[in-house]
Amino acid sequence: MELRVFTEPQQGATYDDLLRVALAAEELGFGAFFRSDHYSPMGVEGLPGSTDAWTTLAGLARDTSTIRLGTMMTSATFRHPGVLAIQVAQVDQMSGGRVELGIGAGWFETEHTAYGIPFPSTAERFERYGEQLELITGLWSTPVGETYDFDGTHYRLADSPALPKPAQTVGRRGGPPVLIGGRGRKQTPALAAAYADEFNLPFVDEEFTALQFGRVREACERIERDPATMTWSNALVLCVGADEAELARRAATIGRDVADLRENGLAGTPAEVIDKIGRFGDLGAQRIYLQTLDLTDLDHLRLVAEEVLPHV
C-alpha cells in the first residue's frame, strides 16, 4: 500500500507552509504530495487567503526533487481545457515527469460566485467535464508535427499544434496519469473507465468503497478494459496519536471528534490505523491519500512514517 499526503490549502496556508509539508513528505518516504484545487475556505476564514493549485505545483516542481505531485481534484470549471493541458504539461516538464492530474466536474458553488467563475447546472458541468477529459488527453497524445481538432458542444479547437508535450507518456491516453473520483452511479464510473489511470474515493466507508469500486470495474468491463489496468485509491482524514492523549490533542486542533474520526477517518493509534488500511486494501485499494489538515504538525507525519508506513 502506498501512502500519499493530501492537503487542503484553502483552509489557510501559504506556499511556504505547503513547501515545508512537501519536503517533509519527500524526506519521510511518502509516495506523493497532493493538494486540493479550491479558491474559498470551508467553515473557516482561510487566512491569509487562497493559493492556486497549479501555481503551487509549479513552485514545488522546482523546490522538490523526487516526490510525485498532483491535484485532488482540479475543478473543470476553473480553467479552459486547452490552457489546463498546457499548464499541466509545463509543470510536468518542470518536475522531470512527476505530475498527476486529478480532475473533477467542480461542485463548490460559493467559490465560483466569490470570484466570478461561471457555475453551470450539474448536467452541463458533467458535459464540460467529459469534453475536457477527451480534449486534454487528445492534445497530449497528438504526435509532434501533427495538429489536433476538437468539435464539442462546449469547446472547439482547430489546427492546434498540441504543444507543449508533458515529460510523461505513461497515462492511459499518453501524458501524465489522470485521476478521477466520486460517488456517482453512472457517469463517474463511465468516465473513469474511459479516461482514468486511477479511481479515487474520498471520505467514504468500506461498504461504499466495495460498492463503487464494483461499479467502476463493471464500467471497465463494458468497454473491454481490464480493471487491473486501473489503480484504486481512497482518501481519508488523518489523525494518529502514539497514545490517547496525543490523539485527542490532534483531533481538537482540527476541530474534530475522536470517535467520529475513528469511525469515518483514518484515526487512532498506529496499530488501529494499520488495521484499517489493511481492510481498505482487502477491498482493492492500492493507495491511501492522508488528508493532513494541521500543516504545522510535521511530527504527525513523522509518526505515520515511522510507525505505520513500514507495516503497510
Side-chain angles (χ1 to χ4, degrees), residues 20-265:
R20 277 192 296 272
V21 177
L23 289 172
E26 183 172 71
E27 176 190 354
L28 292 168
F30 291 97
F33 174 90
F34 270 58
R35 62 153 292 164
S36 60
D37 188 10
H38 285 295
Y39 289 133
S40 291
M42 302 168 196
V44 297
E45 287 186 283
L47 298 175
S50 181
T51 53
D52 178 79
W54 287 98
T55 302
T56 297
L57 294 181
L60 294 177
R62 309 304 283 184
D63 287 342
T64 61
S65 302
T66 59
I67 197 164
R68 295 191 68 79
L69 305 166
T71 50
M72 186 167 285
M73 302 285 184
T74 279
S75 176
T77 55
F78 286 173
R79 303 166 186 85
H80 188 283
V83 174
L84 181 58
I86 292 170
Q87 289 176 310
V88 177
Q90 182 178 1
V91 177
D92 194 47
Q93 290 178 0
M94 293 168 67
S95 71
R98 294 186 282 126
V99 160
E100 303 182 14
L101 172 63
I103 184 168
W107 62 272
F108 189 30
E109 185 173 6
T110 298
E111 63 193 345
H112 293 76
T113 56
Y115 290 99
I117 302 168
F119 188 72
S121 67
T122 300
E124 183 177 332
R125 292 202 309 278
F126 267 86
E127 288 176 1
R128 290 178 176 272
Y129 179 36
E131 289 190 13
Q132 288 210 6
L133 288 163
E134 177 64 36
L135 192 158
I136 291 168
T137 57
L139 286 167
W140 289 343
S141 61
T142 298
V144 174
E146 298 183 16
T147 58
Y148 177 75
D149 297 298
F150 183 84
D151 187 13
T153 301
H154 302 284
Y155 304 104
R156 292 178 177 83
L157 277 66
D159 296 322
S160 173
L163 296 171
K165 297 300 183 195
Q168 297 177 93
T169 58
V170 298
R172 173 169 168 76
R173 298 190 172 210
V178 172
L179 287 73
I180 290 176
R183 308 179 189 187
R185 296 180 60 183
K186 295 182 179 180
Q187 292 187 79
T188 296
L191 289 171
Y195 296 102
D197 299 284
E198 178 176 337
F199 181 72
N200 177 267
L201 275 174
F203 317 120
V204 302
D205 60 19
E206 294 158 57
E207 181 180 3
F208 190 82
T209 294
L211 175 65
Q212 190 71 342
F213 279 5
R215 288 172 178 160
V216 177
R217 289 189 184 99
E218 290 171 2
C220 287
E221 290 163 357
R222 281 195 293 272
I223 63 170
E224 299 184 346
R225 176 181 177 181
D226 182 355
T229 63
M230 183 80 76
T231 297
W232 308 87
S233 64
N234 289 81
L236 295 163
V237 61
L238 180 72
C239 189
V240 184
D243 53 37
E244 291 299 319
E246 188 172 75
L247 177 63
R249 176 178 60 78
R250 288 197 165 114
T253 298
I254 62 174
R256 299 287 294 272
D257 176 72
V258 170
D260 175 67
L261 286 168
R262 276 193 160 109
E263 178 70 21
N264 299 305

Side-chain angles (χ1 to χ4, degrees), residues 286-305:
Q286 298 158 288
R287 289 173 179 156
I288 301 290
Y289 290 79
L290 309 174
Q291 187 195 41
T292 304
L293 296 176
D294 182 2
L295 302 184
T296 67
D297 187 2
L298 299 184
D299 286 338
H300 193 191
L301 292 180
R302 189 166 291 107
L303 175 67
V304 175

Side-chain angles (χ1 to χ4, degrees), residues 257-278:
D257 176 72
V258 170
D260 175 67
L261 286 168
R262 276 193 160 109
E263 178 70 21
N264 299 305
L266 194 60
T269 63
E272 289 178 274
V273 167
I274 291 165
D275 179 69
K276 191 163 189 178
I277 289 172

